[in-house]
Amino acid sequence: MIEQYMALAIQPTMRGAEKREDIKRNIAHISDVIDAAVWLSGIEMPVRLITIPEGALQGFTDELFDWDHQHYVDHMAIDIPGEETELLGKKAKEYNAYLIAQAKVKHPEFPGRFFNSAFLIDPKGEVILQSYKMQVFCQEHSTVPHDVWDKWIELYGYKLDSFYSVADTEIGRIGLLVCQEGDYPEPARGLAMNGAEIIYRSSAPEPAAANGWWELQNRARALDNTCYVVAPNVATYYPSQAAELSVDTFGGQSMIVNHHGEVISNHKYGSGSSYAGAIIDVESLREYRERSLFGNWMKDLRTEQFKLIYEEPLFAKNLCLDRAPLKHKDTHEIYRQHIRQLIERGIWVESARSKK
């Protein structure tokens, strides 16, 4: 039986790292926020899960300043495990908690490429789960598994664990999503179909928080899959190490959503470091999944009829097998090509204005 426990969605101030050494400054700040959060929330229930948002370690320097992909590999991408995960592992051990974070990382099988990765550290300080972001923002330079599809399948096979891996832990089954992966229903469903009970979904830039997309998606992913969603987001952002003033580019609103799609904690203020904390009851979730004939939607999946939706490919695979991800201008043209494909196939109707 899993006892109730406190989960924390840490909402730190972020400084854009310009070299790998800068990451330590962000980790030191994150550690201070964790200390304060555990001090305040640990008196209600033991803190067993600590989550840190996307960008908190490195910022978004490569995206903001349109860095060359190889330059980021050489100067900023980290190794997992490595010095940074060791520092975070010390906090996990200190509080006997599981800790989830994100970073842009190297991959030993793909030299010259970096990936956007979430990772789970156990209370012993060891990395026990790592995911690789599959859907990226059009401004992002990260390689994704689909960009190196043929080699990825050769290395990891074609199965749920190849893309939607889940860790079975003493606090529940945990899966990992990063930012834009939560914009689509499929990645969360993939994790749920692989057993996830708690899904980490980190960070979304403005206007997602202010316009309500962030909350809507987090609640939908929890409700769709009868699971908890723990969703940390960034507070203020200093775009460079030398910046004197910060910019509220993410809007905060770190939140935790239960398996009924209800927000059970939400830190709405985005302009200063803080956190959202809520009690996780995995046994209640498991009982609801077993007994309900209504709101536990996954039991009703008629999978054959959904396969038709995706039989015809849209986004080209293997784009980065022989070259690195491109800079913004050329990447944007790829996305515009996809829009044209949807129109040419008759799926979308061309605007009358564009014909003028």
Side-chain angles (χ1 to χ4, degrees):
M1 180 173 176
I2 298 175
E3 295 183 343
Q4 295 180 11
Y5 60 87
M6 180 67 64
L8 302 176
I10 300 299
Q11 185 170 295
T13 297
M14 175 177 64
R15 284 190 178 271
E18 296 164 80
K19 55 185 183 301
R20 190 163 173 179
E21 292 75 18
D22 296 336
I23 299 172
K24 293 180 182 178
R25 182 179 185 182
N26 282 329
I27 292 178
H29 168 64
I30 291 164
S31 297
D32 288 341
V33 182
I34 290 172
D35 291 341
V38 174
W39 166 60
L40 289 167
S41 290
I43 57 175
E44 184 173 10
M45 284 282 176
V47 173
R48 298 304 318 280
L49 179 61
I50 299 167
T51 64
I52 299 166
E54 181 191 25
L57 270 64
Q58 294 157 314
F60 295 91
T61 313
D62 64 307
E63 300 175 37
L64 180 60
F65 299 109
D66 200 12
W67 277 14
D68 176 76
H69 188 90
Q70 186 64 52
H71 180 79
Y72 198 89
V73 173
D74 294 339
H75 297 280
M76 275 297 306
I78 72 170
D79 301 291
I80 295 181
E83 184 178 8
E84 294 81 6
T85 60
E86 184 177 343
L87 290 171
L88 293 171
K90 289 179 180 178
K91 298 307 290 185
K93 287 192 286 187
E94 179 181 351
Y95 292 116
N96 188 35
Y98 290 84
L99 185 148
I100 305 172
Q102 170 278 341
K104 292 177 179 178
V105 307
K106 300 174 187 178
H107 192 298
E109 298 291 342
F110 298 95
R113 304 286 185 271
F114 73 82
F115 292 74
N116 191 329
S117 177
F119 51 94
L120 171 64
I121 299 174
D122 70 11
K124 297 178 182 178
E126 302 293 328
V127 177
I128 61 169
L129 177 67
Q130 186 176 359
S131 73
Y132 294 89
K133 189 175 180 181
M134 295 179 289
Q135 297 286 156
V136 293
F137 181 43
C138 64
Q139 299 287 83
E140 186 173 340
H141 297 91
S142 304
T143 308
V144 302
H146 192 253
D147 290 335
V148 290
W149 182 260
D150 289 349
K151 187 170 182 180
W152 195 271
I153 298 300
E154 179 184 328
L155 289 168
Y156 300 111
Y158 184 66
K159 55 187 186 295
L160 280 175
D161 279 338
S162 307
F163 305 95
Y164 310 103
S165 53
V166 171
D168 192 355
T169 77
E170 62 188 9
I171 64 168
R173 293 178 172 181
I174 298 174
L176 311 174
L177 296 180
V178 177
C179 190
Q180 197 174 21
E181 290 183 298
D183 293 346
Y184 310 89
E186 294 86 358
R189 176 54 53 83
L191 292 173
M193 289 297 286
N194 207 16
E197 298 167 323
I198 302 152
I199 293 177
Y200 161 90
R201 190 270 174 117
S202 64
S203 298
E206 290 291 23
N211 287 358
W213 306 347
W214 169 247
E215 179 180 335
L216 179 67
Q217 290 168 351
N218 292 333
R219 295 180 68 181
R221 303 302 160 252
L223 186 63
D224 289 347
N225 299 297
T226 319
C227 66
Y228 283 93
V229 170
V230 182
N233 201 16
V234 179
T236 50
Y237 181 23
Y238 290 84
S240 69
Q241 291 291 301
E244 295 183 6
L245 298 175
S246 63
V247 185
D248 188 6
T249 52
F250 286 80
Q253 297 199 36
S254 297
M255 66 181 64
I256 299 173
V257 185
N258 71 11
H259 51 288
H260 301 298
E262 300 165 336
V263 178
I264 55 177
S265 182
N266 186 359
H267 197 291
K268 292 184 177 295
Y269 184 60
S271 297
S273 302
S274 192
Y275 72 98
I279 295 171
I280 303 295
D281 188 346
V282 173
E283 294 297 335
S284 177
L285 177 153
R286 290 177 176 177
E287 183 181 13
Y288 184 78
R289 283 180 170 182
E290 291 173 6
R291 298 180 62 188
S292 174
L293 295 181
F294 183 32
N296 52 350
W297 313 108
M298 281 175 53
K299 72 182 186 312
D300 304 327
L301 292 178
R302 301 172 189 253
T303 53
E304 291 83 0
Q305 62 194 8
F306 298 136
K307 290 181 181 179
L308 287 168
I309 300 170
Y310 300 118
E311 283 186 338
E312 189 172 358
L314 177 66
F315 204 116
K317 63 183 179 181
N318 294 322
L319 287 178
C320 299
L321 271 179
D322 300 314
R323 63 151 176 85
L326 303 171
K327 289 197 170 186
H328 292 162
K329 181 181 177 181
D330 293 326
T331 298
H332 292 176
E333 182 54 33
I334 292 173
Y335 283 85
R336 292 190 181 99
Q337 290 173 9
H338 298 157
I339 293 172
R340 289 194 288 270
Q341 284 186 59
L342 289 168
I343 293 171
E344 289 168 2
R345 293 183 190 179
I347 297 170
W348 287 357
V349 178
E350 186 178 13
S351 165
R353 293 189 182 96
S354 67
K355 296 178 182 178
K356 291 182 179 179

